[in-house]
Amino acid sequence: MNYAKTIGCGALALALAACGGTTSADADGDGEITSGEAQAAMVDKIEPQPGKYKSSSKFIKAEGLPKEAQSMMEGMMSTSFEYCLTEEMTEGGFEEMMTRGQDDGCTVDKMDISGNDIDMAITCPADEGETMTMAMKGEVTSTSSDYKMTMSGMTPGMGKGTIEVDVKQERIGDCD
């Protein structure tokens, strides 16, 4: 699993949440909106704002990994980069944006959005039949995000462990 890619994909999706739209959440038309229908409607309504973004991540801690691996993770996970989010990239809704670019077999386990708060988890296959779960919890707007990402499970070549990273993003203008 490519951790820089994981942060980038998670950051891309989380950086930009804004609920909108007016379609009914009553997917089955029975006159009642279940919690599942409400959650599905929220996922479908997320409309990120295209533009140029700056993403910064800061390594917080690693547990269960060898000391050398912790130093390596600190270097890999403390990054800053800019990217352009085009209108085309925002099509398909939040779940598609979140899983785009992830390894085959990733599943969205949890996606709770309430106002500007987001709490979600994705599980992806890792080496040796193991899995890696990435949980993200924090705040998002249409042009920014600030969340903690916790990755737990098999770290390829290092064994099982937990890694915490703070991620912040903000729209800094239009794409070049």
Side-chain angles (χ1 to χ4, degrees):
M1 176 178 296
N2 181 326
Y3 292 103
K5 183 178 183 183
T6 298
I7 289 175
C9 292
L12 175 64
L14 290 172
L16 324 168
C19 296
T22 57
T23 356
S24 173
D26 186 14
D28 61 8
D30 68 357
E32 293 183 14
I33 299 173
T34 66
S35 62
E37 287 172 324
Q39 186 172 349
M42 290 175 74
V43 169
D44 289 341
K45 301 300 178 231
I46 293 176
E47 297 177 13
Q49 184 177 335
K52 186 174 185 178
Y53 286 81
K54 180 177 181 179
S55 177
S56 301
S57 60
K58 181 180 178 189
F59 173 84
I60 302 301
K61 66 180 176 177
E63 296 176 348
L65 299 177
K67 200 159 200 68
E68 319 74 65
Q70 290 184 31
S71 296
M72 183 178 79
M73 285 291 155
E74 184 171 4
M76 287 174 48
M77 299 288 184
S78 295
T79 64
S80 181
F81 61 93
E82 294 178 1
Y83 63 93
C84 178
L85 182 66
T86 66
E87 193 156 339
E88 180 181 88
M89 293 167 73
T90 67
E91 294 173 0
F94 187 73
E95 187 169 346
E96 184 178 322
M97 286 181 67
M98 192 62 229
T99 58
R100 185 181 303 140
Q102 296 292 335
D103 297 332
D104 290 336
C106 294
T107 57
V108 177
D109 303 318
K110 178 181 186 179
M111 188 175 303
D112 294 329
I113 303 166
S114 177
N116 288 350
D117 296 329
I118 189 161
D119 184 3
M120 67 180 301
I122 297 174
T123 300
C124 294
D127 291 343
E128 304 168 21
E130 297 283 342
T131 60
M132 172 68 76
T133 299
M134 292 161 280
M136 292 154 255
K137 188 171 186 170
E139 295 182 0
V140 292
T141 72
S142 64
T143 60
S144 67
S145 67
D146 186 352
Y147 61 93
K148 180 186 288 185
M149 180 164 46
T150 304
M151 295 169 279
S152 301
M154 181 60 73
T155 304
M158 295 181 232
K160 289 187 177 184
T162 300
I163 303 164
E164 288 185 16
V165 180
D166 279 339
V167 181
K168 296 180 191 298
Q169 296 181 95
E170 65 180 325
R171 187 176 189 278
I172 57 175
D174 294 331
C175 296
D176 298 330

